[in-house]
Amino acid sequence: MMIHILAAAQTGGFAEDTRIYERSVDSTNLLLDYWWVGALGVAAVAVFVSLSGKRRNVGELEARCTAAFGDVDAILAERHALIPNLVEVTKAHAGQEIQVLDRLIEAQQAALETMGYNRMTAETEVGNALNQLINVASSMPKLTSNSEFPRLREELTRIEEKVTAARRYYNTTVAEYDAARSAFVPGLIAKVSKMPRHMRFDLGDKREEVSQPQTVAFG
């Protein structure tokens, strides 16, 4: 029994042996001395979360622009598929050469060969040539009485209305994207991330003429 008491006296308590109290005091003092490191860490996390949110927002707006432009392109493809039928019917029943047919064919060819956003200008020329052809056709009774024209008229009217609606939606998405990019931080994020700019579907001098869905009337 005497041996155990002497051993305890020689070794001391667990707290004394491990210096728990002294260590806890040292740790507390260290935290108090370097509290700003923790504050910087919290601030860094907050900034990272904020930048990630802005990056996601700008990315979503850019993706909407791309998708909307794809919708416009798909509808324009429908219009291009209809043009050859319109040209053939016009040639077969006009009974004379119509100069606007050459303009329409050339405009369509140019649009199909133009890539990217420059195609918008080319597609505007296609629309103008279609309008001119329709105006010429309306003054030719033999052409307007052909049974193919009611079908072509309805189809072209439907397509032009879809083009107008899709173009407006696309321009809206571009406006929202541009507004987001105009702010310093989102603009910097977009630049660093190499997000492309998107051009609006500008109708130029013909804006007022075709700002509404284009109607088709053969006579």
Side-chain angles (χ1 to χ4, degrees):
M1 183 69 176
M2 193 65 176
I3 296 175
H4 291 294
I5 294 174
L6 291 173
Q10 291 175 354
T11 59
F14 175 79
E16 183 179 348
D17 291 342
T18 57
R19 299 180 63 246
I20 291 178
Y21 177 75
E22 292 83 350
R23 291 175 183 271
S24 63
V25 171
D26 291 341
S27 298
T28 302
N29 290 333
L30 183 64
L31 290 175
L32 291 175
D33 290 339
Y34 294 96
W35 63 268
W36 53 272
V37 175
L40 285 179
V42 172
V45 171
V47 170
F48 176 78
V49 172
S50 176
L51 291 178
S52 296
K54 293 181 183 298
R55 169 65 176 79
R56 182 171 58 255
N57 181 59
V58 176
E60 289 174 352
L61 291 175
E62 193 281 326
R64 285 181 58 192
C65 291
T66 301
F69 183 76
D71 292 340
V72 174
D73 191 62
I75 298 171
L76 291 175
E78 291 186 44
R79 182 168 74 175
H80 282 291
L82 182 67
I83 289 176
N85 292 335
L86 182 61
V87 170
E88 289 303 318
V89 170
T90 304
K91 284 182 176 180
H93 298 87
Q96 56 180 309
E97 287 293 328
I98 300 180
Q99 187 176 1
V100 70
L101 282 178
D102 295 332
R103 178 189 177 191
L104 176 58
I105 294 172
E106 291 175 0
Q108 182 185 32
Q109 187 64 31
L112 293 175
E113 293 176 353
T114 304
M115 303 298 293
Y117 293 100
N118 290 331
R119 184 176 174 185
M120 294 178 179
T121 302
E123 291 291 352
T124 300
E125 177 62 20
V126 173
N128 293 337
L130 278 170
N131 284 336
Q132 186 178 358
L133 175 60
I134 291 166
N135 290 334
V136 172
S138 65
S139 64
M140 299 180 178
K142 183 178 179 180
L143 180 59
T144 56
S145 64
N146 178 261
S147 60
E148 285 290 311
F149 273 98
R151 181 184 65 81
L152 292 173
R153 176 189 59 203
E154 293 177 4
E155 186 70 9
L156 188 56
T157 299
R158 179 186 66 83
I159 291 174
E160 292 300 335
E161 288 176 349
K162 289 173 64 178
V163 168
T164 299
R167 176 181 56 79
R168 286 176 173 171
Y169 175 71
Y170 167 73
N171 283 344
T172 298
T173 64
V174 174
E176 293 175 350
Y177 179 53
D178 287 344
R181 287 180 61 111
S182 64
F184 175 74
V185 174
L188 183 61
I189 292 174
K191 184 176 181 180
V192 172
S193 301
K194 297 183 179 180
M195 294 183 187
R197 285 193 172 276
H198 293 269
M199 295 175 58
R200 300 191 188 190
F201 204 142
D202 191 358
L203 296 175
D205 295 336
K206 299 293 183 179
R207 178 182 299 277
E208 294 183 359
E209 178 182 342
V210 291
S211 60
Q212 298 297 324
Q214 299 175 19
T215 57
V216 182
F218 294 96

